[in-house]
């Protein structure tokens, strides 16, 4: 395949556009030309097999034609925080010289076979315990890419066809499969998503990032953004269902950078920021934030768990803080701070904790005076002037 670019700079996707549409827009605008060879006939990228399209997307991003946001990862060896542009580190040699014949790195899922999944109840009765997929083109996958950009993923017959699902157990009707998937458990949905990704992304699409601190190798998906953003989709859906009228006052923020920590130094799963910071502020700019890396760290450290239940519980917890803000009293916040204080006393002892509290109060007072000394000087001068005048 030949590539010829006239792009003036990296193309960035508009917020409401379907996933991966920036590459298609480049071709439509004439800034990027695909061909069978250097001088061959132009190719329409929407007709490409999805696995070829994702490889093309990685290459275009590596060459600077498609914009790539940085991602923050933790070194798997020492935990050092690393900010990386995955595609910027993608090796292009195998693509440029036709060396895509590694039986592991260049293989994708065998779609001629059925693949096991956790049991999914079927609308007509019985359970489906296996899945069959087929190859899909970019055009065929378009309904999925549009659906994944909505605030909540709705599994429809069109989405089932876009995923290339041929059968779910004995069921072959897209509408019935959509009904089953919309009701299936988290474990089954995650397994189906994994099979889909294995069918359309080869292991070759990864960058090797060396840790700047310990030198360890870290493999990062390149491109990092992929078809199933399960965490984001579930979190947004849960927020919409839980927030109710509060959705007009607070927004959901998904943060995949280094999490904020609480007063005791523990990385947070979620946090709440009231609109304007006090009850007199205008509404609409508060935020509930979920910290993806905290959820991921629990999975990596302790093994698989029901992360969706944890997301839902965290959302409910942070929205309870908002309910407290609305009435001007948040006892849950007081309880959390008291627990952190009690834990510090347990660790350092009562006398040391008291001494630290006095030191902190003194530091706060000194800081307050340092910031406001001019105001106090003016007040003192005014008071003195009034006193003199009264005499």
């Amino acid at each position: 395949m030949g590539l010829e670019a006239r792009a003036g700079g990296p193309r960035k996707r508009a917020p409401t556009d379907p996933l991966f549409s920036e590459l298609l827009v480049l071709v439509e605008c004439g800034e990027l030309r695909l061909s069978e060879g250097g001088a061959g006939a132009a190719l329409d990228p929407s007709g490409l097999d999805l696995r070829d399209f994702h490889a093309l997307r990685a290459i275009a991003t590596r060459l600077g034609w498609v914009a790539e946001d940085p991602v923050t990862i933790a070194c798997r060896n020492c935990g050092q925080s690393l900010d990386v542009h995955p595609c910027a580190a993608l090796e292009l040699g195998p693509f440029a010289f036709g060396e895509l014949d590694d039986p592991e790195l260049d293989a994708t899922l065998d779609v001629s076979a059925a693949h096991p999944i956790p049991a999914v109840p079927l609308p007509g009765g019985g359970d489906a315990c296996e899945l069959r997929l087929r190859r899909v083109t970019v055009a065929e996958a378009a309904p999925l890419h549009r659906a994944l950009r909505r605030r909540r993923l709705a599994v429809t017959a069109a989405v089932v066809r876009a995923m290339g699902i041929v059968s779910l157990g004995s069921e072959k009707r897209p509408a019935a499969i959509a009904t089953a998937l919309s009701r299936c458990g988290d474990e089954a949905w995650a397994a189906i998503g994994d099979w889909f990704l294995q069918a359309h992304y080869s292991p070759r699409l990864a960058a090797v990032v060396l840790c700047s601190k310990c030198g360890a190798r870290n493999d990062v998906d390149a491109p990092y953004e992929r078809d199933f953003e399960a965490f984001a989709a579930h979190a947004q859906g849960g927020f919409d269902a839980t927030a109710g009228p509060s959705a007009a006052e607070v927004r959901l923020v998904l943060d995949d950078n280094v999490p904020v920590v609480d007063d005791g130094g523990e990385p947070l799963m979620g946090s709440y920021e009231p609109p304007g910071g006090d009850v007199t502020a205008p509404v609409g700019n508060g935020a509930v934030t979920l910290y993806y890396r905290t959820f991921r760290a629990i999975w990596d450290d302790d093994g698989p768990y029901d992360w969706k239940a944890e997301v839902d519980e965290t959302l409910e917890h942070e929205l309870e803080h908002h309910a407290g803000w609305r009435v001007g009293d948040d006892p849950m916040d007081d309880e959390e701070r008291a627990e952190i204080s009690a834990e510090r006393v347990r660790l350092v002892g009562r006398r040391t904790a008291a001494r630290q509290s006095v030191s902190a109060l003194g530091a706060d007072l000194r800081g307050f005076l340092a910031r406001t000394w001019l105001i106090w000087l003016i007040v003192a001068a005014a008071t003195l002037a009034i006193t003199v005048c009264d005499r």
Side-chain angles (χ1 to χ4, degrees):
M1 181 184 295
L3 296 175
E4 181 183 352
R6 303 184 183 89
R11 170 71 63 170
K12 201 169 180 64
R13 183 174 66 244
T16 57
D17 286 352
L19 285 184
F20 322 135
S21 57
E22 56 269 50
L23 186 57
L24 301 176
V25 171
L26 276 174
V27 176
E28 291 172 2
C29 294
E31 296 180 16
L32 180 65
R33 184 178 184 273
L34 310 181
S35 62
E36 290 285 0
L43 291 176
D44 179 2
S46 64
L48 292 176
D49 187 289
L50 197 56
R51 60 179 175 177
D52 295 331
F53 174 77
H54 287 315
L56 175 63
R57 186 165 64 92
I59 294 169
T61 306
R62 169 68 174 80
L63 295 175
W65 303 335
V66 172
E68 180 181 39
D69 293 328
V71 297
T72 302
I73 64 170
C75 173
R76 64 184 178 89
N77 185 44
C78 71
Q80 171 76 7
S81 179
L82 305 172
D83 294 323
V84 301
H85 289 79
C87 285
L90 181 69
E91 292 291 346
L92 292 185
F95 298 96
F97 301 112
E99 299 172 356
L100 303 176
D101 53 5
D102 188 276
E104 294 182 0
L105 291 179
D106 299 304
T108 51
L109 187 71
D110 179 7
V111 296
S112 66
H115 299 281
I117 58 172
V120 175
L122 295 173
D127 291 340
C129 295
E130 63 179 25
L131 170 80
R132 285 185 179 273
L133 295 169
R134 66 176 178 85
R135 300 287 175 209
V136 292
T137 65
V138 177
E140 290 171 329
L144 172 64
H145 295 159
R146 288 194 296 268
L148 286 169
R149 292 294 283 173
R150 301 189 185 108
R151 296 186 71 182
R152 190 171 188 178
L153 175 62
V155 183
T156 64
V159 168
V160 168
R161 286 189 287 267
M163 292 174 64
I165 297 178
V166 175
S167 64
L168 191 66
S170 61
E171 185 58 72
K172 297 182 179 180
R173 296 171 298 166
I177 293 174
T179 299
L181 293 183
S182 65
R183 301 172 181 172
C184 77
D186 298 341
E187 188 179 359
W189 180 249
I192 292 169
D194 286 342
W195 289 129
F196 177 91
L197 294 176
Q198 290 182 46
H200 303 297
Y201 290 87
S202 73
R204 175 77 67 183
L205 298 183
V208 174
V209 176
L210 299 181
C211 177
S212 57
K213 183 177 180 180
C214 71
R217 168 179 169 166
N218 294 270
D219 292 350
V220 186
D221 288 344
Y224 194 76
E225 183 182 41
R226 302 206 163 179
D227 305 67
F228 278 84
E229 298 170 307
F231 183 86
H234 180 79
Q236 187 64 65
F239 179 79
D240 294 341
T242 308
S246 298
E249 300 171 343
V250 291
R251 68 192 188 281
L252 176 65
V253 177
L254 301 177
D255 191 330
D256 64 354
N257 292 309
V258 177
V260 173
V261 299
D262 64 17
D263 292 343
E266 289 295 324
L268 294 173
M269 300 180 82
S271 66
Y272 166 68
E273 179 183 353
D278 62 73
V279 295
T280 63
V283 299
N285 62 339
V288 168
T289 301
L290 295 183
Y291 300 98
Y292 169 77
R293 285 183 59 180
T294 305
F295 290 86
R296 181 72 204 190
I298 296 172
W299 183 286
D300 292 340
D301 294 342
D302 301 334
Y305 69 103
D306 190 351
W307 62 267
K308 289 190 176 182
E310 289 291 343
V311 167
D312 294 341
E313 183 177 336
T314 303
L315 287 171
E316 291 177 6
H317 178 90
E318 302 307 333
L319 287 167
E320 281 186 44
H321 281 302
H322 181 63
W325 172 86
R326 295 184 76 184
V327 300
D329 180 31
D330 187 358
M332 193 165 62
D333 183 64
D334 296 336
E335 291 175 7
E336 290 173 353
R337 294 182 185 277
E339 288 176 2
I340 293 172
S341 179
E343 180 64 18
R344 186 173 71 251
V345 170
R346 287 182 62 225
L347 291 174
V348 304
R350 291 188 297 274
R351 291 189 178 183
T352 301
R355 186 169 63 251
Q356 290 175 347
S357 296
V358 170
S359 298
L361 178 62
D364 289 343
L365 181 59
R366 288 193 296 273
F368 174 74
L369 293 175
R371 293 190 300 272
T372 62
W373 67 270
L374 182 59
I375 296 174
W376 292 112
L377 182 62
I378 295 172
V379 170
T383 302
L384 179 62
I386 293 172
T387 301
V388 172
C389 290
D390 287 344
R391 291 178 180 176

